[in-house]
Amino acid sequence: IIISTDKIGDKALVTIRDHGPGIPIDAQPYIFEKFYRVNPVDSQTIYGHGLGLYMANRMLEAMGGEISVRNCEDGGAEFVISLPIIEENDEPNLIS
């Protein structure tokens, strides 16, 4: 796994890249949905309930950010997290 950071304008970016098989193109629009699993077979070695990426997405949205995914040309998947940079003197944007 490779993790890198960057700043573009008023956004902080965190990029997380792996060297696995990637995310199937037809699954990419759905991987942030609740209970979605790319491989729903119960007998798989790595089992999940389809909540991890959903909760990460919801948490980022609550902080004014977002997450996206793409496959890398040389293999693996790349997730990009974008969060607004809050200056120390900025008023917090509280959600009621």
Side-chain angles (χ1 to χ4, degrees), residues 6 9 12 19 28 37 41 73 80 86 93:
D6 200 1
H19 297 286
Q28 289 182 14
R37 292 175 20 197
V41 178
E73 289 181 17
V80 177
I86 306 294
N93 183 8

Side-chain angles (χ1 to χ4, degrees), residues 54-71:
Y54 169 77
M55 290 189 306
N57 186 42
R58 296 293 292 158
M59 183 176 68
L60 288 163
E61 286 176 350
M63 294 186 287
E66 56 188 27
I67 185 171
S68 62
V69 66
R70 72 176 187 91
N71 287 329

Side-chain angles (χ1 to χ4, degrees), residues 35 49 75 87 91:
F35 302 122
H49 295 286
E87 298 295 331
E91 291 292 321

Side-chain angles (χ1 to χ4, degrees), residues 3-90:
I3 300 173
S4 61
T5 60
D6 200 1
K7 177 184 175 188
I8 298 180
D10 63 346
K11 302 280 185 190
L13 300 180
V14 178
T15 303
I16 303 143
R17 182 177 178 182
D18 67 25
H19 297 286
I23 309 291
I25 297 295
D26 59 334
Q28 289 182 14
Y30 308 106
I31 64 169
F32 299 107
E33 291 182 7
K34 191 185 328 183
F35 302 122
Y36 182 80
R37 292 175 20 197
V38 172
N39 184 357
V41 178
D42 286 339
S43 63
Q44 62 192 14
T45 304
I46 300 173
Y47 187 81
H49 295 286
L51 291 173
L53 289 173
Y54 169 77
M55 290 189 306
N57 186 42
R58 296 293 292 158
M59 183 176 68
L60 288 163
E61 286 176 350
M63 294 186 287
E66 56 188 27
I67 185 171
S68 62
V69 66
R70 72 176 187 91
N71 287 329
C72 301
E73 289 181 17
D74 56 346
E78 181 177 82
F79 289 84
V80 177
I81 296 168
S82 171
L83 286 166
I85 296 174
I86 306 294
E87 298 295 331
E88 190 173 328
N89 58 354
D90 285 350

